[in-house]
Amino acid sequence: MKLVVGLGNPGPEYESTRHNVGWWVVNHLADVWRFPPWRAVTDARATDAAVEGRRVRLLEPQTFMNLSGEALAPYLHRPFWAAANDLLVVVDDLALPVGSFRFRAKGSDGGHNGLRSVEEALGTTEYARLRIGVGTDTPVAGEVRRDFVLGEFTAEQEATVRALFPALQAGVTTWIVDGILAAMNRHPGRLADPAVPPGQPPAPSPAPEIPPPAPLPPGHATES
């Protein structure tokens, strides 16, 4: 089973905050994939269905962000389930500007409390994550990071984030079918790039056009 976990904080006061972008994406996936209604599970809510013939569970931890990893406890000892292959965490990222995203196979928590909790629960940093940009051109100082991520986007920024959803859906589908390396290679975060259908290699880059040679003057011989 593939597990796609969106990180966020429960409660209506957090729904529109930058820190809840992971929930935005997972909710979008549930809608467009027509998953059944969400149900309560241990420390989370979940919904299950098939995507491209694979069983997929979408999960939203219902603890606060710094305890997100607790919702993963039921999966740690499942036969044939491994975080490195079967877990994708969708998370906001201050290091990326609004309008960008990155798939990554592993890495540090980068100061993100939700990722720190996931790492502590799993005992490893080797799990895939989809990082959604919420940052700005100006670095956010450490002492105001919490207020910033718990703040809301401008209307223009929110529209920019939501415009990424079709590209994110395509990337998550690639991860489900072909794994994180394929998702990283085929969906590098540029919205304008066409998605490669799951199960197929990316199309080769087109050869550059070479203009035809200029016509030769009359009577000029060519080398055979």
Side-chain angles (χ1 to χ4, degrees), residues 3-7 22-41 44-48 56-62 75:
L3 184 63
V4 182
V5 181
L7 299 191
W23 280 20
W24 294 10
V25 174
V26 171
N27 286 333
H28 172 78
L29 296 177
D31 289 342
V32 297
W33 285 337
R34 299 185 182 277
F35 272 37
W38 294 87
R39 69 186 188 282
V41 295
R45 66 178 197 146
T47 178
D48 302 65
V56 176
R57 172 169 293 179
L58 305 178
L59 192 76
E60 292 181 351
Q62 295 297 296
Y75 306 92

Side-chain angles (χ1 to χ4, degrees), residues 1-22:
M1 178 183 69
K2 298 293 185 181
L3 184 63
V4 182
V5 181
L7 299 191
N9 283 308
E13 66 271 34
Y14 297 108
E15 287 179 2
S16 300
T17 65
R18 297 178 177 92
H19 230 13
N20 274 42
V21 165

Side-chain angles (χ1 to χ4, degrees), residues 10-11 16 20 42-43 55 68 81 99 118 160 166 175-176 178 207 215:
S16 300
N20 274 42
T42 305
D43 293 323
R55 185 185 173 200
S68 298
W81 190 89
V118 169
T160 298
W175 172 77
I176 290 168
D178 295 323

